[in-house]
Amino acid sequence: MAVAKDSLGRRNRFERSPRGKRLSLTPRDQEILGWLYRYRYLRQDHLMRIFQPKSEKRFVERLGDLFHETGYLNRPQIQAPLFDARATPMLYEITAKGIGYLEALGALSPRAVTFSRRSRESYSPQFLHTMMIIEELLEIELSAQATEGQRFVPVDEILARAPDATRKAKNPLAVPVILGGRSTHIIPDALYGIEHDRDGQKGYRFYAMECERTSPASRSDSSLSSTAQKKRAYKVLRDSQGFRAHWGISNLELNLIPRKGQ
């Protein structure tokens, strides 16, 4: 089988080019797939931070093998317009084949995000917003892991305990509110919780995350998205306790991540 190469004679970074290596997947390989199922997209540097490999070179080579040889990972074309081989860590996502492999093992972990699947062939301006959400959420999860008595509660775990109507909804994150006398919905960028264990007693705090990358602080037209409008909507949601009926959680705080310079 011919191996696709770039203009310098190297194996193409974005086109799968197997060399026929026979791989036996390890528990760490399964964990890599699990983390990618959990977040959809993770860069090479994210994965190295999660796994802290003894040899970064071998770890990077293993990611390459999982992409080229197994077909369990993708290097999404969506990153290609932004990719600089000298400065940009490779981005990975799990494939349908990889998900099937985990399903066969009964090893699918609860997802931390509920992004819809977009075409891998085209660049989307929302990709930068997506990566902002992933990076902020991953930072929160890893911080909870490193803190004694804390556990990160992913969105799939929250939704598993939500009312039937929410679980069956087209978008279970869309929670209804009445804002300015008008019925509308809030759809957080992410929903998560932190479990606290103090002297054997468990407590929970739940958060709706909103990452502001392009929305202005305010608008003259209150029907358009803005940071101020979102804050008003979440205040209404908390005052009405609508999160209890919709998601089945006992409390909710807004974690608003402002855009740089805001």
Side-chain angles (χ1 to χ4, degrees), residues 124-162:
S124 166
Q126 293 300 316
F127 173 66
L128 297 177
H129 183 241
T130 296
M131 290 307 301
M132 182 179 180
I133 297 166
I134 289 170
E135 291 184 336
E136 294 291 344
L137 201 58
L138 181 63
E139 183 67 33
I140 291 167
E141 177 163 8
L142 295 180
S143 177
Q145 281 188 356
T147 304
E148 185 176 358
Q150 286 192 6
R151 183 179 72 86
F152 178 81
V153 182
V155 65
D156 269 359
E157 186 174 327
I158 295 171
L159 295 179
R161 301 177 182 178

